[in-house]
C-alpha cells in the first residue's frame, strides 16, 4: 500500500520535491476542494486541480478486473465512452468504493497518482492526459487523503509515472481533445445506470453557464445542484470554509439573517412567557447518559473534552449535542410546587454533533447555531397546546420571514425525537433535488424525563381532593437552527446566485448610479451621486434597508452582477434620464422585471414593492411545492413519482415495519445516490395535520399501498436530507 | 494514607453502609458545598453538613506538633479559644495547608472524619461534638475530596471513631454549647493574625444577620463578602451552580441583563460599521499555536477535544479561548485590496479557559459569554481611533447601563494583551474588598498578527506614489464579558440582596397590593387588584417594565423581601388608603426611601424616579470609588493605604522590574490572602488617560516612590481580581 512517506521517497529519488502537505477541510467535489485549498494556508496563489478517476471495465464473471486509472487535469473533458472505445473496452463504469478499497485501500476523495506504485501499477491500466506535461501552474494532488494536498508540476507527475513502466505495462498517453472529436462520430453507448456522481461528469460540463462572467455562479442549479449550492454560498459572501472539517464561518451576509430570525422569534416567545437563559456547553458523562433512549440517538456524535492545558481530566466531559439531560436535574431542583409551573426557558447557543457523514453547509455541520426551548407544565393539555403554538411560530419563520412553504405535521413513531412522546415538525421541500427537508421540530417529551427513575420532577397535584396526589410534570423541547438559512438558499436561489426575501435581507434595496459616459459632465455625475444618496436617506426614513453603491472603478454591470449574486431583492438605478424625469428604474431580483418608479411616491412605492416581492416569492415556492406533492394509492407509482422529484402522500397504515419496508423497497430501485443527500430510500416525512387536501380515508376500506393493511392517515414520504 | 476504599471496608466491618458517593461541583465554603449538594443528584432531601477543622497548637520550636481534629455539626459553634482552654492548649490556630498535606495528604476542602485511621488517629487529638450522635438527619461527609460527598448518620460517625481509640489515645467528646457558656467568662486571647479563612469562623458568625428571615441573604456583605456574593446570586435567582466545576447556569434574571447589554452595544457598533458574524468554536492545534507570545498567554487553560463518539480524533482540536488565530487566516484571504478595509467583525459567543484556580461566578468561570470584535485597518491612526471609540462604549456600558464607575486608561507593558501592541481598559473597583477589577479591554494589536511571518495580511499601499508599496494591516481586538454582571452585583448589592440599576432591570417596578385585612371586603380586595393591574398597564404604555405581584398565599412582607432580594428598583404599594387617595406608595430599593406618588401623574413620575435612581446609584458609587483612590508619593504609605481598602495612584516610572518589585513588596507585607481574590500584591491596574486629577509630574524631578527613578505618569496600583 502506498504511504505518503514511501511515495515521497520515490519522488526524492527523481529529485522531485513536492511542496509541503497542505491541510484543509475535507473536500469531496472539485468545487469544495478548490475552495478548501484557497482557504488553507500554504497553497500557491495559482494552481489547477488534478483529477484521478478509476473505471472498471465490464468483465466476465469471475475474472479479475483490471481497473483503468485516468490521471488528468481537472479542466480536461474525460468522456468515459470515448475512452472505452479508444482502449477497446466495453462499458467503462466508475469503480465502486469497494473496488477502490480493495486495490488502493482508499476512498475516491483521496485518489491521486501517488496510489500508483511498483506494486499497483502492473495491476491496472493507467491513462495519462497528454496536456498534463504542459500545465502552466502547479497541480493540486491529493496526498492520499481527502483533507491533505500537495502540489507538483504536470511534468513531474508524468516523470514519476514513467518510472513505473515495465515491459508488460506501459502508460497510455491520451489526447482527450482529439478523442472527443473522434467520439462525435462514434456510437459508443452511454452508460444507462451511472453508479456514481463522478460518472456524470461529462453531462455536468453542461452545468457551466455559457458566457458567465467571472463573478457569476458558474454552474447551473438544475445540473449540478451540490456545486451550485456551495458556489452560491461562497460567492454571495454567506459563508466560508474553515480549517476544522465540518465547521463553517457564518459571514455577516448570512449571520444577519439569523439575527432577524432571533429578533422575531424572541419577541414572540417572550409574549408567551418564555425567558432566555444560558446553560454551560459542557455536560458530565453521567448526566449525559442518564436517559438511555435519548442518548442512544446522540452518543455516536458526541465530542469529548479529555484534556485541559497539559492535564488529563479525571473524567471526559461532553460538549452538549442538545441540553435535555443537562438542564433537567435543575428543573427538578427549581420546581418544588405547582406554583413554579409552567417553567419556560429558552437558550440561543451552539451545539456539537460530530457527524462522520459528508458535511454540508447549514444542513449538516459539526457545530451549529440554534435555539432550544425547554418547558415544564402541570398538565398534558398545556404541554400539547404549547407544542403547537411553537410549531406555528416555526411555520411563520419559514413562511413569513424566509418565504419558504412548509407543511406542519407529526412525525411517525420511528422518526420522532429519541426519548420523547411525540414530535411535531414543519417539513420543507427542495424542488431541485426533489427531496424533503425537516424544517424545525417541536417535541412533547411527555413525562418520560420527569418520572421518578429519571429526573423526578414532581409537584403535589393541586387538583387532587385528597391533597396526597403527585404529578410528574409534562415537558416539551423545541428547536430551530441555522438550517433554515440553507433551506432558504436552496429554495429561492437561481443561476445568478442568491435570491433573498426582503424581510430577511440586510440590504433590501441597492441604489446604483448608471448611464455615466465619457460625455457626462462632472456636474451631472455629482448630481447623480447626490440623488442616489438622497434616495437612500429617504428610504431609510421609512424603514427600508437601503444602500448606495458608489464605488469608483467598477462598471454598473459589475455592480449589477455583484448585488444580484448576493440576492438583494430590489435594484434601483439612477441615470441622467432618470434624474431628468425624477424617477428611478426598479429591477426585481426575483423576476428580473424592470419598471420605472417615480421619486415622488417612493416612500410608499418601495415598501409596497418589497411586500409584493416577499409575497410572490412565497406564493411561487408554495405552488411549486404543492405541484410536487402527489397522492399515490398504488405501490407501483411510488418509485416513479419519487424519481420525478416528487414527494408522495400515501394513505399509510402507520405500522413501523411497513415504514422500514417502504424505505428499503424505494431505495433499492432508486436513482443513483447522491452522497450529499444520504437517504435514497423514502422516509416518512410527516403526517400532515391538515388531512383535507386528499380524499377521505374510509376506515377498514382504504388500504395502505405499501402493505395492504388498513390506512390511517395520509402521510408524506420522500427522499430527504 | 486513607483511601475511600480502605475506609469503606473499615465501615463495612462495623455494618455501616454509607450512601453512594455523590459527585458535585467542587465546593469550598459551607454555603457552596450545600448548594452543590442540593444541585447534585443522589443527595438526600434533608441533610446537615459535617465540619472537620484541624488546628495546630502553639508548639515549641522543633517539636512535632499534635494537631487537633474537630469533628462537629456545621451548626455547632466551635470557638477555638474556648476549645484551647478546655484542652489546656495555647493559641489554637487553623492548620496550614502544608500541615494538612503532611499529615493527611489532603487539602482543607477534602477534610472528613475518614482521614482518621489506625495510622493517623494516634498522632492527633480528636475532638468530637457531643451533639453529633443525636443529629436528626444524615450528615454530609467529604469523601476525601472537595467534589465528592457521602452521607452517614452522626451515630455512625461516632461509632467509627470509637473503633480507633486505643489505650493511649481516646476521643475527646466536647459539649460546645456548654463550653461557650464557660468561655463567656474566660479571657483566652483571640488570634491576632488569622492565617486562614476558616479561622475567622467565630468572627464570621457575626456575619449572620440578626432576625433575618429564611429568604434573606443571611450573611453581611462587610463581614463575609465571598459568602454574601454567592448567596446574593443564588437567592436573587441570578445563577445556579452546575455539575461541571467552574461552570454556572445563567438564569433569566441575570441573562436578561446580558441581553440588554447586547442590544445596546449592538446598536452602537453597527453605527460604527461593525458587522456580526460567527466563527466555529473549534480551532486546530496548528492554527492556535501560530502566534507564540499570544498562545503562551492561553495554552495552560485550553480545553482539548480528543474524541468523537467512540473514535479518537487524528489530532486534538481546541475550544477557542479567544479567536485571534482562528479568524486571521481568513482575514488574510478576504483582504485583497485596501478597498476591503476596514474589515470590522464582531461575534457574540462563549469561550473556554479552563482555569485551575478557584472559580467565582461571573468573575472567573471556565466558560463565559462575551463579545469579541476583530477589525483590520489601513492605518495606525484609524486603528488607534477605533480602540478608543470602543473603550468609550465599554465605559458607557458600565456607567450608563450598570451605574458602575470605571476609569479608562492604558495597561502597562506587563499587563497588556499577549501578542498585542497596547491594551486599553476600563478599570472598576470593589469597595467592599478594596480590590480593583478589570472591566473590559480594547486592544490595538498593531501589525503583529498581519506581518508576513505571521498571517500575512497585506494590501498595496494606496498612498504610495510608486504604486509598489505594501502595507500590513493594523488590527484591533476588543471584548466585553458577563463579568460586567458580577461587578454590578458586587458594587450595588447590599445586605437585603441585589440592587439593580433601573436601565438593566428586567422588572423595574413591582406593584404589590397591601393593607388587606380580615375586615377588607371582597369588593375592596378586587378593586385593589384591579388598580394594581391598571397601574402596570399604564406604566407599560410609557415603557416602564412593570409587573404586579398578585400571588395568593403570600403576605405583603414576604413579597417585599422577595423583590428586594431580587433587586427590583422600585416597589409600588397599593392599599385601601392609596385607593381612596388615588395614589401609590413608592419605595426605592437603593435607599429605602418611601413617598406617595399621585396616580394622576404616574406616567411621568415613575420614569423620572427611575432615572433619578439610576443617576444617584451611579453618583454614589462614583463618589465612593474616588474616595478610595489615594495618590501616594512615599513608599511607606503604599501598603497601609492598600490595607485600608484603597487603590493607590503612584507617579510611576513605568519600568517593568519596578512593577514586579511593587507587587512583591506589597504582597509580602499584606493582609491574609483571601483565596477568592488571588492577588495579594498590588498590580498596576491602569495608567488613567485623564492625568488631571493629580499634581502635575515634573519631568526629572518627580520620582517614582517605589524605586526612585524619574516618574512618568500617575498609575493606579491595587490588589485586584
Amino acid at each position: 500500500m502506498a504511504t505518503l512517506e514511501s511515495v515521497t521517497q520515490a519522488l526524492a529519488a527523481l529529485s522531485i520535491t513536492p511542496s509541503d502537505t497542505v491541510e484543509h477541510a475535507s473536500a469531496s467535489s472539485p468545487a469544495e476542494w478548490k475552495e478548501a485549498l484557497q482557504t488553507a494556508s500554504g497553497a500557491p496563489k495559482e494552481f489547477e486541480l488534478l483529477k484521478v478517476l478509476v473505471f472498471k471495465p465490464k468483465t466476465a464473471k469471475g475474472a479479475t478486473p483490471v481497473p483503468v486509472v485516468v490521471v488528468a487535469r481537472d479542466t480536461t473533458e474525460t468522456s468515459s465512452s470515448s475512452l472505452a472505445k479508444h482502449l477497446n473496452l466495453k462499458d467503462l463504469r466508475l469503480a465502486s468504493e469497494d473496488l477502490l478499497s480493495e486495490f488502493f485501500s482508499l476512498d475516491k476523495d483521496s485518489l491521486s497518482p501517488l496510489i500508483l506504485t511498483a506494486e499497483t501499477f502492473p495491476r491496472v491500466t493507467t491513462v495519462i492526459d497528454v496536456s498534463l506535461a504542459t500545465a502552466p501552474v502547479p497541480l493540486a494532488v491529493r496526498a492520499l487523503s481527502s483533507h491533505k494536498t500537495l502540489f507538483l508540476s504536470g511534468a513531474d507527475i508524468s516523470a514519476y509515472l514513467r518510472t513505473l513502466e515495465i515491459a508488460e505495462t506501459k502508460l497510455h498517453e491520451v489526447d482527450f481533445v482529439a478523442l472527443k472529436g473522434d467520439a462525435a462520430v462514434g456510437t459508443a453507448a452511454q452508460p444507462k445506470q451511472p453508479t456514481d456522481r463522478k460518472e456524470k461528469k461529462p453531462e455536468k460540463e453542461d452545468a457551466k453557464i455559457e458566457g458567465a462572467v467571472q463573478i457569476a455562479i458558474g454552474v447551473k442549479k438544475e445540473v449540478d445542484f451540490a456545486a451550485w449550492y456551495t458556489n452560491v454560498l461562497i460567492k454571495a459572501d454567506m459563508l466560508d470554509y474553515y480549517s476544522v472539517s465540518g465547521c463553517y464561518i457564518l459571514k455577516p451576509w448570512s449571520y444577519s439573517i439569523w439575527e432577524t430570525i432571533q429578533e422575531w422569534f424572541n419577541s414572540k416567545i417572550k409574549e408567551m412567557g418564555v425567558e432566555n437563559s444560558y446553560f454551560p456547553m459542557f455536560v458530565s458523562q453521567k448526566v449525559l447518559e442518564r436517559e438511555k433512549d435519548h442518548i442512544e440517538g446522540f452518543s455516536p456524535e458526541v465530542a469529548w473534552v479529555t484534556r485541559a492545558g497539559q492535564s488529563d481530566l479525571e473524567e471526559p466531559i461532553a460538549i452538549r449535542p442538545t441540553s435535555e439531560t443537562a438542564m433537567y436535574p435543575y428543573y427538578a431542583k427549581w420546581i418544588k410546587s405547582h406554583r413554579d409551573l409552567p417553567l419556560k426557558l429558552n437558550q440561543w447557543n451552539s451545539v456539537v454533533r460530530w457527524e462522520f457523514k459528508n458535511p454540508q453547509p447549514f444542513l449538516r455541520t459539526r457545530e451549529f447555531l440554534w435555539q432550544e426551548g425547554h418547558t415544564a407544565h402541570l398538565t398534558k393539555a398545556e404541554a400539547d397546546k404549547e407544542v403547537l403554538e411553537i410549531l406555528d411560530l416555526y411555520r411563520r419563520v419559514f413562511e413569513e420571514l424566509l418565504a419558504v412553504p412548509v407543511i406542519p405535521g407529526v412525525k411517525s413513531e420511528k422518526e420522532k425525537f429519541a426519548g420523547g412522546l411525540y414530535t411535531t415538525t414543519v417539513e420543507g421541500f427542495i424542488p431541485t433535488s426533489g427531496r424533503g427537508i425537516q424544517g424545525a421540530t417541536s417535541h412533547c417529551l411527555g413525562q418520560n424525563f420527569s418520572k421518578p427513575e429519571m429526573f423526578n420532577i414532581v409537584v403535589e397535584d393541586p387538583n387532587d381532593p385528597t391533597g396526597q396526589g403527585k404529578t410528574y410534570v409534562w415537558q416539551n423541547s423545541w428547536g430551530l437552527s441555522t438550517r433554515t438559512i440553507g433551506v432558504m438558499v436552496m429554495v429561492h436561489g437561481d443561476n445568478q446566485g442568491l435570491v433573498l426575501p426582503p424581510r430577511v435581507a440586510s440590504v433590501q434595496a441597492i441604489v446604483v448610479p448608471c448611464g455615466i459616459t465619457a460625455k457626462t459632465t462632472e456636474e451631472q455625475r455629482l448630481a447623480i451621486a447626490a440623488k442616489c444618496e438622497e434616495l437612500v436617506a429617504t428610504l431609510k426614513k421609512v424603514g427600508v434597508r437601503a444602500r448606495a453603491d458608489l464605488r469608483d472603478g467598477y462598471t454598473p454591470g459589475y455592480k449589477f452582477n455583484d448585488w444580484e449574486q448576493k440576492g438583494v431583492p430590489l435594484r434601483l438605478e439612477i441615470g441622467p434620464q432618470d434624474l431628468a424625469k425624477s424617477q428611478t428604474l426598479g429591477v426585481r431580483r426575483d423576476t428580473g422585471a424592470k419598471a420605472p418608479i417615480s421619486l415622488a411616491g417612493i416612500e410608499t412605492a418601495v415598501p409596497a414593492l418589497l411586500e409584493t416581492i416577499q409575497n410572490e416569492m412565497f406564493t411561487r415556492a408554495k405552488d411549486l411545492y404543492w405541484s410536487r406533492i402527489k397522492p399515490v394509492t398504488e405501490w407501483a407509482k411510488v418509485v416513479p413519482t419519487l424519481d420525478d422529484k416528487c414527494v408522495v402522500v400515501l394513505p399509510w397504515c402507520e405500522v413501523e415495519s411497513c415504514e422500514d419496508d417502504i424505505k428499503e423497497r424505494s431505495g433499492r430501485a432508486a436513482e443513483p445516490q447522491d452522497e450529499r443527500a444520504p437517504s435514497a430510500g423514502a422516509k416518512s416525512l410527516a403526517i400532515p395535520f391538515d388531512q383535507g387536501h386528499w380524499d377521505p380515508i374510509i376506515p377498514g376500506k382504504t388500504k395502505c399501498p405499501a402493505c395492504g393493511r388498513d390506512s390511517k392517515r395520509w402521510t408524506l414520504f420522500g427522499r430527504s436530507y
Side-chain angles (χ1 to χ4, degrees), chain A:
Chain A
M1 204 185 86
T3 66
L4 201 50
E5 289 69 30
S6 66
V7 177
T8 311
Q9 280 174 16
L11 291 171
L14 302 172
S15 303
I16 298 172
T17 316
S19 67
D20 277 348
T21 310
V22 171
E23 306 221 9
H24 49 79
S26 183
S28 186
S29 72
E32 265 186 25
W33 188 20
K34 192 159 194 175
E35 287 294 340
L37 287 172
Q38 284 167 342
T39 305
S41 57
K45 286 248 161 181
E46 289 193 285
F47 60 86
E48 275 184 25
L49 300 182
L50 185 75
K51 68 178 163 191
V52 176
L53 304 172
V54 179
F55 295 96
K56 180 181 165 298
K58 200 164 187 179
T59 312
K61 254 193 176 164
T64 307
V66 179
V68 176
V69 178
V70 176
V71 178
R73 290 164 72 180
D74 193 52
T75 46
T76 302
E77 273 190 47
T78 50
S79 152
S80 61
S81 52
S82 309
L83 183 63
K85 210 175 160 209
H86 177 75
L87 295 176
N88 205 17
L89 292 167
K90 252 182 162 173
D91 202 13
L92 279 183
R93 292 187 184 200
L94 272 179
S96 66
E97 290 282 345
D98 284 350
L99 188 135
L100 294 181
S101 171
E102 183 192 331
F103 268 79
F104 308 114
S105 307
L106 281 177
D107 64 26
K108 69 170 177 46
D109 295 332
S110 308
L111 287 180
S112 146
L114 309 181
I115 58 173
L116 297 170
T117 60
E119 187 202 346
T120 53
F121 189 77
R123 298 165 62 203
V124 303
T125 302
T126 303
V127 173
I128 186 169
D129 175 4
V130 71
S131 79
L132 203 60
T134 57
V137 293
L139 288 146
V141 176
R142 299 278 198 182
L144 303 174
S145 157
S146 60
H147 63 274
K148 289 180 190 165
T149 296
L150 47 79
F151 295 88
L152 288 169
S153 72
D156 283 345
I157 295 167
S158 301
Y160 169 68
L161 294 176
R162 292 245 171 264
T163 65
L164 300 173
E165 289 190 310
I166 47 173
E168 306 85 66
T169 324
K170 298 283 182 194
L171 277 176
H172 296 256
E173 209 160 39
V174 171
D175 182 342
F176 284 96
V177 178
L179 211 60
K180 198 183 170 191
D182 298 348
V185 291
T187 54
Q190 286 290 332
K192 273 174 206 150
Q193 286 281 359
T195 55
D196 187 288
R197 196 178 50 81
K198 279 205 176 146
E199 195 164 15
K200 288 188 186 163
K201 201 82 208 179
E203 183 191 325
K204 285 202 178 165
E205 298 296 330
D206 295 335
K208 287 186 183 158
I209 298 166
E210 292 282 322
V213 295
Q214 196 236 327
I215 57 165
I217 298 310
V219 286
K220 281 186 187 158
K221 186 179 184 185
E222 311 78 40
V223 182
D224 189 348
F225 187 44
W228 171 88
Y229 177 64
T230 48
N231 278 12
V232 167
L233 294 178
I234 299 287
K235 299 201 168 178
D237 224 13
M238 299 278 275
L239 170 137
D240 209 335
Y241 286 85
Y242 187 71
S243 54
V244 174
S245 177
C247 296
Y248 302 90
I249 300 164
L250 301 194
K251 297 182 77 174
W253 202 252
S254 63
Y255 191 79
S256 64
I257 298 172
W258 188 237
E259 286 183 299
T260 304
I261 293 172
Q262 285 186 307
E263 197 179 332
W264 186 90
F265 191 72
N266 260 334
S267 75
K268 298 298 173 194
I269 59 175
K270 285 179 183 179
E271 279 170 25
M272 290 172 61
V274 178
E275 296 180 295
N276 285 330
S277 57
Y278 189 77
F279 281 71
M281 69 156 85
F282 297 116
V283 189
S284 74
Q285 183 159 6
K286 202 168 158 186
V287 167
L288 183 72
E289 293 174 355
R290 193 86 165 265
E291 213 288 350
K292 290 277 172 289
D293 290 339
H294 179 67
I295 190 57
E296 261 181 32
F298 292 103
S299 64
E301 300 171 357
V302 170
W304 294 95
V305 175
T306 63
R307 188 153 61 83
Q310 294 305 315
S311 317
D312 286 330
L313 300 186
E314 252 181 67
E315 286 177 347
I317 293 176
I319 304 178
R320 61 178 161 224
T322 179
S323 302
E324 278 75 8
T325 56
M327 291 169 79
Y328 298 165
Y330 303 94
Y331 280 44
K333 182 183 166 195
W334 299 336
I335 299 169
K336 294 290 180 210
S337 148
H338 66 90
R339 290 191 189 89
D340 300 322
L341 295 175
L343 178 63
K344 300 183 178 189
L345 297 183
N346 177 62
Q347 55 175 335
W348 297 92
N349 58 26
S350 73
V351 290
V352 171
R353 298 177 189 175
W354 206 267
E355 303 253 10
F356 290 94
K357 291 183 208 155
N358 260 314
Q360 195 162 17
F362 294 116
L363 301 195
R364 198 186 308 121
T365 61
R366 286 179 169 171
E367 180 191 5
F368 60 86
L369 301 179
W370 76 344
Q371 61 66 220
E372 50 177 330
H374 296 266
T375 61
H377 306 263
L378 185 62
T379 65
K380 181 167 189 298
E382 283 174 67
D384 286 341
K385 179 164 171 278
E386 187 200 72
V387 164
L388 294 183
E389 281 172 357
I390 292 293
L391 193 74
D392 201 54
L393 294 181
Y394 290 158
R395 181 191 64 75
R396 293 176 65 189
V397 166
F398 277 98
E399 300 198 337
E400 297 179 11
L401 298 183
L402 303 170
V404 168
V406 289
I407 294 180
V410 65
K411 287 279 182 188
S412 71
E413 279 299 299
K414 183 183 164 72
E415 297 291 335
K416 77 177 184 186
F417 183 64
L421 181 62
Y422 65 86
T423 289
T424 66
T425 177
V426 287
E427 285 292 314
F429 177 71
I430 307 298
T432 313
S433 62
R435 291 174 185 268
I437 187 160
Q438 180 177 298
T441 44
S442 175
H443 316 289
C444 180
L445 305 177
Q447 295 172 308
N448 189 30
F449 288 84
S450 69
K451 64 191 176 190
E453 63 275 29
M454 202 55 53
F455 293 101
N456 195 31
I457 315 177
V458 62
V459 297
E460 79 288 13
D461 181 352
N463 303 317
D464 179 23
T466 71
Q468 302 297 308
K470 280 180 172 183
T471 294
Y472 294 92
V473 303
W474 291 85
Q475 292 179 272
N476 296 336
S477 72
W478 27 273
L480 176 89
S481 78
T482 40
R483 158 175 281 214
T484 44
I485 299 171
V487 176
M488 179 206 75
V489 172
M490 287 185 162
V491 166
H492 295 304
D494 64 20
N495 287 329
Q496 274 70 52
L498 190 63
V499 182
L500 287 172
R503 286 193 200 136
V504 297
S506 59
V507 177
Q508 297 174 310
I510 186 74
V511 180
V512 182
C514 295
I516 292 164
T517 65
K519 283 188 285 181
T520 314
T521 65
E522 180 64 15
E523 200 185 348
Q524 272 180 313
R525 193 192 302 264
L526 288 175
I528 289 172
K531 186 54 83 180
C532 288
E533 285 182 335
E534 186 192 319
L535 177 54
V536 167
T538 306
L539 291 174
K540 279 188 170 171
K541 255 185 227 158
V542 293
V544 174
R545 295 186 287 274
R547 191 191 292 180
D549 184 352
L550 302 177
R551 285 179 289 176
D552 279 336
Y554 295 94
T555 64
Y558 178 93
K559 292 177 181 176
F560 295 174
N561 272 326
D562 195 22
W563 296 108
E564 276 179 5
Q565 194 163 262
K566 297 185 81 172
V568 171
L570 183 61
R571 180 171 78 233
L572 298 172
E573 303 175 11
I574 295 186
Q577 303 281 352
D578 301 303
L579 207 58
K581 292 186 192 165
S582 198
Q583 67 177 30
T584 173
L585 184 68
V587 184
R588 282 173 65 163
R589 174 65 184 87
D590 63 327
T591 61
K594 298 180 184 194
I597 309 171
S598 163
L599 290 178
I602 202 84
E603 294 96 329
T604 51
V606 166
L609 182 53
L610 291 172
E611 265 308 280
T612 303
I613 295 171
Q614 178 85 30
N615 295 334
E616 291 186 7
M617 282 179 72
F618 175 63
T619 305
R620 275 197 307 275
K622 189 172 180 183
D623 291 347
L624 184 56
Y625 189 176
W626 279 95
S627 76
R628 299 284 194 85
I629 299 176
K630 305 284 189 187
V632 169
T633 52
E634 40 183 325
W635 177 257
K637 289 192 179 160
V638 168
V639 173
T641 308
L642 294 172
D643 286 349
D644 272 357
K645 298 193 174 173
C646 291
V647 160
V648 298
V649 210
L650 306 180
W652 185 44
C653 61
E654 300 184 23
V655 173
E656 188 161 331
S657 62
C658 175
E659 184 168 5
D660 292 336
D661 194 48
I662 292 172
K663 187 170 182 187
E664 224 280 304
R665 287 160 71 194
S666 60
R668 223 186 305 151
E671 62 173 1
Q673 187 167 342
D674 179 342
E675 73 202 20
R676 301 299 190 83
S679 169
K683 292 195 306 187
S684 79
L685 304 174
I687 305 168
F689 289 126
D690 184 355
Q691 292 274 312
H693 292 280
W694 308 285
D695 295 339
I697 285 174
I698 302 161
K701 203 160 171 201
T702 316
K703 299 292 174 186
C704 173
C707 68
R709 289 189 190 89
D710 284 353
S711 299
K712 289 196 170 156
R713 286 175 289 185
W714 289 95
T715 303
L716 294 171
F717 279 84
R719 297 187 179 123
S720 68
Y721 284 87

